């Protein structure tokens, strides 16, 4: 966890004062709605369907117990006692009062938190692997790099009024858990043969209306040049990105319009001027930032055999993850219990989680882009005890990586951009697939739901993606399959959309088709789609004769 | 005379902006009009391209007004003719002018007055100042007295820019 220094703290406090002044001017009638909108959006404040929504930044998903308690306190005092973790590793409050927001920000600043650039056309929260620093498959710990990029991207004088929002992800392991292929810039930290750290630089990925996978414009950028190179990319984008059409304003459209080669040439030409300039990174800065991170003081912990049977076994299998330190494991707290909107946590639960984080995981936790939480450093010897406590709180649903671990945006229940609701769809699907044995039989499956084109629920990269669409004012759902997060691949729409009540049946038919087609238990849904294409699935869904829902059939078979 | 913030003070503006069309129109006598000889004039790239000689003959100073789509590099060799460069911000959220300002200062070495005009609000001032602007034609409804405080919105910045040529991480090291 990065600990602020005096300047980091001062900047956040100055931002609070600035926003307080802007709010005062608005409430005093000195700023129009329109003008205030442009300002509040730079600070994560939206005016939603029913109330303002405030998005609080959780830089690269890292949170301390102390910060979580503060969030609980804020949710209780200024909101309706709960918060919503987003796919951007942020926390959203859905019911704050506009005039309270400056006070909320001031409260956040007391625990080194803020809402800077959580919306608006500027750099958004830098995101990373939720197992950063603990994953056994990691070549480079991305956290220091995340913080360096965060500082550079915070209140950037030149790049605070970009054509559109801008998202950067950093990953440092083979399995790209940061989904860097679908970010405006994805940085893959690598180690050269001589040990030097550098980055593979991907540009132009993104979801939304025109989903695209990023293109590598540099295979190895030595670390010293990271900021000057980013600056070159951003300058080209800031000057030439489309500003006349919001839907074409993301950097991916510039890369597409120019063609990747030409785009890269422009960046390189710009970089030729900036390279080796003052923004070239120095080793002293890396060391300084690294030292400001708290590091867990690992003990000699016994390597113990994890339960392979009994009720804890499925939790161990799904929600416990390998750790690079012997005797330790990482644990996912599933926020996907059936009946609870994915990502929602109450203030009381936040307090309980903070307590558990202190007792079991060095007082720190992470937010994942799958809208779950992670305790990154749990001693294996304490897993059983932790499991018991999580179960009591409802966070031990053993569904990580499975169909019911649905990524779901707030959708029509909260978001004013939505075409359709998404939370009730998630719930209906979770209810349909409530049978754990069946869920395990289906195996790994990412199901993602967005309430509109903007794709906050990452539907494009779900193995199954559901998108809310509007047909003459009614809510419909388009279904796509074959998307994947790593390596990034975009799903294909299977055909005409469905009414909400039909969605669980459609999912069931897709699953049924998969189960019939798979060649072995290890072949996942996505593997089958990649092997046989979407046609057989289409056929199954639209093929005419209604099928008996598969799981009932299977249950009968089991019985 | 319009008011202006220059070097963080409220001043009145002595510059006159020329609208190109009028100065390119051929009159009944078959000639284009003469420019005022002694006035300080802000012209556009088009006027500069078409009436450069006439403009240079005068005793008054010259300023050039750039739009966000203009390439500042195109004027790099001619910056010495201008005592003022103005960059227009047609919309609140159009940030191209920030890059243009840095390019003019950092790459093309422009040292004269660099003015932001258009939708310039107090909420832009800190960033504009950081990027090298030193004069600001605030949009009309902005109160110049109050706007002055905008320069002090932040006391530091992480990044290198015109106002702080070394990034914070290098300055920290020296301190
Ligand atoms: S995907 Fe659309 S509906 Fe869902 S949160 Fe994003 S903008 Fe709102």
């Amino acid at each position: 966890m990065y600990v602020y220094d005096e300047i980091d703290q001062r900047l956040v406090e100055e931002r609070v004062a600035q926003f307080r002044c802007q709010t005062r001017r608005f409430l005093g009638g000195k700023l129009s709605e329109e003008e205030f909108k442009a300002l509040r959006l730079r600070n994560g404040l939206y005016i939603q369907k029913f109330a303002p929504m405030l998005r609080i930044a959780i830089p690269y998903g890292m949170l301390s117990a102390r910060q979580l308690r503060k969030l609980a306190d804020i949710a209780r005092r200024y909101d309706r006692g709960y918060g919503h973790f987003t796919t951007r590793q942020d926390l959203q409050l859905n019911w704050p009062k506009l005039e309270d927001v400056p006070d909320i920000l001031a409260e956040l600043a007391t625990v080194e938190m803020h809402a800077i650039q959580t919306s608006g056309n500027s750099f958004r929260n830098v995101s990373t692997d939720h197992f950063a620093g603990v994953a056994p498959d990691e070549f480079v710990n991305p956290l220091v790099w995340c913080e360096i990029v965060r500082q550079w991207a915070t209140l950037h004088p030149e790049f605070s009024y970009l054509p559109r929002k801008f998202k950067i992800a950093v990953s440092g392991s083979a399995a790209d858990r940061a989904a860097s292929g679908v970010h405006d810039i994805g940085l893959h930290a690598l180690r050269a043969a001589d040990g030097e750290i550098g980055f593979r630089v991907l540009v132009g990925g993104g979801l939304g209306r025109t989903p695209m996978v990023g293109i590598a414009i540099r295979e190895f950028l030595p670390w010293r040049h990271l900021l000057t190179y980013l600056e070159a990319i951003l300058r080209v984008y800031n000057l030439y990105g489309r500003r006349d059409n919001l839907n074409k304003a993301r950097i991916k459209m510039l890369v597409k319009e120019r063609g990747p080669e030409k785009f890269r040439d422009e960046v390189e030409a710009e970089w030729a001027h900036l390279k080796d300039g003052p923004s070239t990174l120095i080793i002293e800065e890396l060391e300084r930032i690294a030292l400001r991170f708290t590091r867990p003081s690992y003990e000699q912990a016994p390597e113990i055999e994890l339960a392979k049977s009994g009720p804890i076994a499925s939790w161990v299998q799904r929600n416990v993850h390998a750790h690079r330190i012997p005797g330790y494991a990482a644990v996912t707290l599933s926020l996907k219990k059936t009946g609870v909107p994915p990502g929602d946590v109450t203030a009381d639960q936040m307090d309980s989680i903070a307590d558990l984080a202190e007792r079991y995981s060095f007082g720190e936790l992470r937010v994942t882009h799958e809208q779950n939480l992670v305790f990154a450093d749990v001693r294996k010897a304490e897993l059983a005890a932790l499991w018991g406590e999580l179960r009591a709180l409802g966070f031990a649903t053993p569904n990580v990586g499975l169909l019911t671990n649905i990524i779901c945006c707030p959708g029509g229940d909260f978001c004013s951009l939505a075409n359709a609701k998404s939370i009730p769809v998630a719930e209906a699907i979770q209810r349909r697939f409530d049978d754990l044995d069946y869920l395990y039989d289906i195996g790994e499956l990412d199901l993602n739901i967005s309430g509109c084109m903007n794709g906050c629920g990452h539907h494009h990269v779900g193995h199954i993606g559901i998108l809310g669409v509007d047909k003459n004012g009614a809510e419909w759902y388009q279904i796509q399959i074959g998307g994947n997060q790593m390596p990034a691949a975009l799903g294909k729409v299977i055909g005409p959309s469905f009414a909400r009540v039909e969605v669980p049946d459609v999912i069931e038919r897709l699953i049924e088709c998969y189960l019939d087609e798979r060649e072995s238990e290890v072949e996942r849904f996505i593997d089958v789609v990649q092997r046989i294409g979407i046609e057989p699935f289409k056929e199954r869904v639209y093929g005419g004769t209604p099928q008996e829902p598969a799981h009932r059939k299977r249950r009968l078979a089991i019985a | 005379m319009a008011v202006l913030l220059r070097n963080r003070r409220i001043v009145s503006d002595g510059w006159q902006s020329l609208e190109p069309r009028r100065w390119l129109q051929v009159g009944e006598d078959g000639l284009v009009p003469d420019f005022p000889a002694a006035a300080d004039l802000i012209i556009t790239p088009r006027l500069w391209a078409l009436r450069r000689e006439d403009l240079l003959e005068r005793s008054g100073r010259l300023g050039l007004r750039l739009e966000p789509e203009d390439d500042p590099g195109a004027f790099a060799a001619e910056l010495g003719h201008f005592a003022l460069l103005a960059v227009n911000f047609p919309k609140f959220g159009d940030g191209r002018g920030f890059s243009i300002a840095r390019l003019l200062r950092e790459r093309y070495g422009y040292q004269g007055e660099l003015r932001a005009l258009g939708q310039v609000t107090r909420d832009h001032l800190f960033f504009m100042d950081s990027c090298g602007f030193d004069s600001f034609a605030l949009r009309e409804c902005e109160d110049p007295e109050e706007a002055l405080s905008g320069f002090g919105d932040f006391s530091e910045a992480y990044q290198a820019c015109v106002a702080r040529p070394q990034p914070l991480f290098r300055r920290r090291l020296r301190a």
Side-chain angles (χ1 to χ4, degrees):
Chain A
M1 182 92 210
Y2 176 78
V3 178
Y4 278 8
D5 81 346
E6 174 246 328
I7 296 174
D8 301 317
Q9 182 66 31
R10 196 162 82 217
L11 284 171
V12 168
E13 285 169 9
E14 287 170 349
R15 183 69 180 105
V16 176
Q18 186 192 39
F19 191 72
R20 195 181 287 285
C21 168
Q22 291 166 347
T23 308
R24 196 184 314 126
R25 277 149 62 207
F26 170 65
L27 294 173
K30 288 196 180 164
L31 278 173
S32 70
E33 286 271 350
E34 208 41 43
E35 289 161 349
F36 184 58
K37 180 179 173 192
L39 297 172
R40 64 175 162 74
L41 279 181
R42 321 205 133 258
N43 221 347
L45 182 60
Y46 290 77
I47 304 295
Q48 291 286 37
K49 270 198 161 151
F50 307 110
M53 181 271 277
L54 179 66
R55 190 181 288 153
I56 297 164
I58 301 174
Y60 35 95
M62 298 272 281
L63 207 51
S64 69
R66 181 170 84 110
Q67 290 174 325
L68 187 58
R69 282 203 190 91
K70 176 51 81 180
L71 293 173
D73 173 45
I74 289 172
R76 219 174 262 128
R77 280 166 44 212
Y78 297 98
D79 205 295
R80 298 192 179 172
Y82 70 96
H84 171 78
F85 288 105
T86 75
T87 54
R88 218 35 232 159
Q89 301 174 310
D90 295 311
L91 180 84
Q92 286 178 190
L93 295 176
N94 283 317
W95 311 94
K97 283 210 220 51
L98 177 72
E99 52 279 20
D100 286 341
V101 172
D103 291 338
I104 298 177
L105 297 176
E107 297 269 356
L108 288 172
T110 64
V111 292
E112 306 181 359
M113 294 188 81
H114 59 79
I116 298 171
Q117 292 166 212
T118 52
S119 57
N121 296 332
S122 51
F123 294 109
R124 299 293 183 84
N125 201 4
V126 177
S127 57
T128 193
D129 184 348
H130 44 266
F131 297 131
V134 306
D137 66 341
E138 191 166 273
F139 336 112
V140 177
N141 180 341
L143 292 176
V144 167
W145 303 103
C146 285
E147 179 57 26
I148 284 174
V149 174
R150 182 196 75 83
Q151 296 192 5
W152 172 78
T154 298
L155 303 169
H156 197 296
E158 183 179 350
F159 304 130
S160 282
Y161 294 87
L162 296 171
R164 200 77 179 83
K165 59 187 167 185
F166 205 92
K167 301 178 178 181
I168 300 178
V170 187
S171 100
S173 65
D176 177 16
R177 283 173 295 263
S180 61
V182 291
H183 283 73
D184 295 286
I185 292 181
L187 298 169
H188 289 185
L190 304 167
R191 246 177 236 282
D194 62 0
E196 189 193 19
I197 290 177
F199 299 89
R200 183 161 185 259
V201 183
L202 306 181
V203 179
L207 300 174
R209 197 173 288 261
T210 317
M212 279 188 220
V213 176
I215 290 161
I217 61 167
R218 267 255 157 190
E219 286 302 328
F220 189 84
L221 177 74
W223 63 269
R224 286 172 199 281
H225 302 308
L226 178 63
L227 297 186
T228 54
Y229 201 78
L230 289 177
E231 201 129 337
I233 297 174
L234 265 295
R235 185 167 285 164
V236 169
Y237 173 56
N238 191 39
L239 284 171
Y240 305 113
R242 294 271 298 258
R243 289 176 186 266
D244 56 334
N245 181 342
L246 262 185
N247 297 324
K248 299 199 165 155
R250 294 286 288 271
I251 196 172
K252 61 190 173 186
M253 301 307 280
L254 183 65
V255 175
K256 192 178 165 198
E257 276 176 19
R258 291 280 213 268
E261 255 101 87
K262 177 138 189 293
F263 178 81
R264 190 198 43 221
D265 292 348
E266 278 180 61
V267 169
E268 294 279 330
E270 183 60 39
W271 188 49
H273 294 285
L274 301 172
K275 184 172 179 279
D276 300 323
S279 299
T280 305
L281 281 167
I282 46 180
I283 190 82
E284 293 87 342
E285 175 66 356
L286 299 195
E287 286 165 355
R288 188 189 72 85
I289 300 249
L291 282 173
R292 298 205 67 83
F293 272 88
T294 54
R295 290 282 158 102
S297 35
Y298 297 113
E299 296 161 16
Q300 284 273 346
E303 204 31 87
I304 65 155
E305 190 69 18
L306 299 175
K308 293 228 165 55
S309 64
I312 193 178
S314 50
W315 179 77
V316 167
Q317 189 195 338
R318 299 307 331 176
N319 297 24
V320 175
H321 318 273
H323 198 289
R324 66 183 178 82
I325 304 290
Y328 282 84
V331 170
T332 301
L333 281 61
S334 170
L335 306 186
K336 308 298 176 66
K337 191 179 150 158
T338 301
V340 179
D344 275 14
V345 181
T346 68
D348 291 348
Q349 287 173 328
M350 288 184 214
D351 281 338
S352 310
I353 293 169
D355 291 345
L356 292 181
E358 268 166 357
R359 281 165 42 221
Y360 290 95
S361 194
F362 298 95
E364 293 182 4
L365 67 153
R366 291 128 187 252
V367 183
T368 81
H369 74 270
E370 292 178 343
Q371 303 171 289
N372 289 319
L373 300 177
V374 163
F375 285 175
D377 302 287
V378 181
R379 281 163 46 165
K380 283 186 177 164
E382 295 183 330
L383 281 172
L386 175 60
W387 175 66
E389 304 216 36
L390 289 176
R391 223 155 57 127
L393 289 169
F395 295 127
T397 313
N399 61 353
V400 175
L402 301 180
L403 191 154
T404 55
N405 181 35
I406 296 172
I407 297 182
C408 177
C409 81
D413 289 296
F414 297 100
C415 175
S416 45
L417 301 172
N419 288 326
K421 293 192 180 187
S422 48
I423 294 169
V425 178
E427 188 180 339
I429 295 168
Q430 285 173 329
R431 291 207 186 283
R432 180 66 61 92
F433 291 91
D434 221 11
D435 182 84
L436 260 191
D437 292 331
Y438 185 44
L439 209 54
Y440 275 72
D441 188 21
I442 297 166
E444 260 174 52
L445 197 151
D446 295 341
L447 193 152
N448 301 353
I449 309 177
S450 302
C452 81
M453 294 279 213
N454 286 317
C456 305
H458 297 183
H459 64 281
H460 298 291
V461 290
H463 300 161
I464 298 177
I466 302 178
L467 167 66
V469 291
D470 174 279
K471 271 203 215 163
N472 305 322
E475 297 181 341
W476 288 80
Y477 297 87
Q478 196 182 68
I479 300 206
Q480 51 191 55
I481 60 174
N484 197 34
Q485 187 192 304
M486 44 194 177
L490 305 167
K492 292 199 184 79
V493 177
I494 59 168
S497 39
F498 299 93
R500 195 195 298 168
V501 289
E502 297 174 295
V503 173
D505 286 338
V506 175
I507 304 303
E508 198 149 6
R509 271 178 237 149
L510 291 171
I511 297 301
E512 184 188 35
C513 177
Y514 154 66
L515 293 174
D516 289 350
E517 297 286 347
R518 77 173 170 192
E519 286 173 344
S520 75
E521 300 250 315
V522 295
E523 199 183 26
R524 300 169 306 158
F525 178 89
I526 181 68
D527 304 326
V528 172
V529 179
Q530 280 165 1
R531 179 166 57 78
I532 66 174
I534 71 170
E535 283 309 318
F537 290 90
K538 250 172 147 167
E539 192 109 319
R540 185 73 64 123
V541 172
Y542 298 99
T545 48
Q547 311 270 338
E548 191 186 344
H551 96 275
R552 233 167 286 141
K553 206 162 60 187
R554 294 181 67 86
R555 274 217 201 125
L556 286 177
I558 294 167
Chain B
M1 241 182 249
V3 296
L4 195 70
L5 304 185
R6 186 189 286 133
N7 299 322
R8 308 197 178 189
R9 305 232 314 263
I10 301 172
V11 296
S12 56
D13 181 22
W15 287 83
Q16 186 186 337
S17 282
L18 298 193
E19 200 264 310
R21 202 149 33 106
R22 164 156 182 239
W23 303 90
L24 292 172
Q25 222 157 37
V26 181
E28 280 166 16
D29 53 3
L31 300 169
V32 285
D34 282 336
F35 292 111
D40 292 340
L41 301 179
I42 301 178
I43 57 161
T44 63
R46 186 164 138 81
L47 213 46
W48 175 242
L50 295 173
R51 297 197 60 188
R52 182 191 165 100
E53 299 306 317
D54 297 344
L55 285 164
L56 287 177
E57 264 173 17
R58 304 163 335 103
S59 59
R61 296 179 300 167
L62 274 181
L64 181 69
R65 169 190 166 127
L66 298 176
E67 295 299 322
E69 46 279 349
D70 289 327
D71 170 15
F75 306 95
E78 300 179 312
L79 293 179
H81 294 300
F82 301 107
L84 177 139
L85 292 177
V87 179
N88 186 31
F89 288 79
K91 285 188 188 154
F92 181 96
D94 188 336
R96 289 176 286 183
F98 294 98
S99 289
I100 292 174
R102 279 191 78 178
L103 286 170
L104 286 169
R105 292 286 195 214
E106 293 173 346
R107 188 158 309 161
Y108 305 119
Y110 176 67
Q111 310 250 322
E113 179 173 341
L114 184 55
R115 179 179 299 184
L117 49 87
Q119 292 302 306
V120 179
T121 77
R122 62 177 279 177
D123 301 291
H124 288 103
L125 293 179
F126 177 79
F127 289 153
M128 285 178 171
D129 177 74
S130 299
C131 288
F133 287 103
D134 52 9
S135 85
F136 308 87
L138 296 170
R139 63 171 184 179
E140 243 159 54
C141 49
E142 216 66 31
D143 176 341
E145 283 289 346
E146 283 185 17
L148 279 174
S149 67
F151 291 108
D153 276 355
F154 297 99
S155 56
E156 253 305 352
Y158 291 112
Q159 308 80 357
C161 56
V162 178
R164 290 166 293 272
Q166 297 290 315
L168 180 60
F169 64 80
R170 286 181 190 265
R171 284 182 283 125
R172 259 185 181 126
L173 201 64
R174 247 184 281 144

